[in-house]
């Protein structure tokens, strides 16, 4: 009849070879999807940690700046900057403005000419052992004699705070008794 090859001589895959190739391909795809799923979950974990570190760093920078700006009140005798403190809160006076530059919003004591500071309260609160938050309450000093503060405002600095194993957020160090 002619030049047509017989069907038995045709090159190609058998049904068994196709089933084995499809099964192997599915195993490879399943492995790839598993890796992608784990990678996505780990990426979310890293993103959450990075976000928490950034929020914590921002709050810590603000807290450190305020603590470094502590001032004694111009009273007789002078009032120490730190009013009170424990492992969960600290109350102190600080002035974050430039005392050499008069502004229309800065209030000054008529007797001493000193600018009035702000009474800061930093506090950690938690309910039922859950992660808590650090809040800041600011009340402007309006008079040195007697020490009087104005209306307080409160804001949350950072949330989802977990204290270290000791439970204290704030730690205080007194002067060294060795004189150094």
């Amino acid at each position: 009849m002619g030049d047509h090859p017989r069907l038995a001589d045709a090159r190609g895959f058998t049904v068994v070879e196709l089933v084995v190739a499809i099964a192997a391909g599915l195993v490879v795809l399943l492995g790839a999807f598993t890796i992608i799923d784990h990678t996505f979950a780990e990426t979310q974990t890293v993103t959450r940690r990075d976000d928490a570190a950034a929020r914590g760093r921002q709050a810590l920078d603000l807290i450190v700046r305020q603590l470094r700006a502590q001032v004694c009140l111009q009273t007789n005798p002078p009032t120490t900057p730190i009013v009170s403190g424990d492992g969960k809160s600290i109350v102190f006076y600080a002035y974050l403005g430039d005392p050499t530059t008069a502004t229309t919003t800065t209030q000054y004591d008529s007797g001493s000419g000193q600018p009035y500071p702000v009474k800061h309260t930093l506090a950690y609160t938690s309910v039922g052992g859950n992660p808590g938050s650090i809040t800041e309450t600011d009340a402007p000093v309006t008079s040195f004699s007697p020490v009087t503060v104005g209306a307080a405002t409160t804001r949350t600095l950072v949330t989802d705070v977990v204290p270290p194993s000791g439970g204290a957020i704030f730690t205080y160090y007194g002067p060294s008794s060795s004189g150094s």
Side-chain angles (χ1 to χ4, degrees):
M1 284 241 319
D3 296 319
H4 296 298
R6 298 188 60 178
L7 289 177
D9 291 329
R11 304 277 181 204
F13 294 108
T14 65
V15 173
V16 173
E17 289 172 330
L18 282 174
V19 169
V20 169
I22 290 172
L26 287 174
V27 168
V28 169
L29 282 175
L30 182 62
F33 284 133
T34 301
I35 290 171
I36 289 170
D37 185 49
H38 285 353
T39 302
F40 183 70
E42 289 301 315
T43 300
Q44 287 180 327
T45 300
V46 169
T47 301
R48 282 192 303 270
R49 286 182 186 163
D50 187 45
D51 179 56
R55 288 183 301 112
R57 193 171 29 255
Q58 184 179 21
L60 187 60
D61 286 346
L62 177 66
I63 291 169
V64 167
R65 187 169 64 102
Q66 290 176 348
L67 287 171
R68 287 185 175 168
Q70 294 178 52
V71 294
C72 295
L73 297 185
Q74 302 297 319
T75 60
N76 192 7
T79 305
T80 60
I82 296 179
V83 177
S84 64
D86 58 30
K88 304 283 185 187
S89 68
I90 182 171
V91 180
F92 60 98
Y93 294 102
Y95 179 73
L96 295 169
D98 182 356
T100 63
T101 306
T103 64
T104 57
T105 59
T106 303
Q107 300 293 319
Y108 292 88
D109 179 57
S110 60
S112 66
Q114 297 295 313
Y116 288 123
V118 174
K119 183 178 183 181
H120 296 275
T121 302
L122 300 172
Y124 170 76
T125 55
S126 172
V127 178
N130 295 322
S133 61
I134 296 178
T135 58
E136 170 191 42
T137 302
D138 292 342
V141 174
T142 57
S143 172
F144 287 139
S145 180
V147 175
T148 309
V149 295
T153 58
T154 300
R155 70 180 177 144
T156 301
L157 297 180
V158 66
T159 59
D160 295 329
V161 176
V162 178
S165 60
I169 295 292
F170 301 105
T171 304
Y172 304 94
Y173 300 96
S176 152
S177 60
S178 64
S180 57

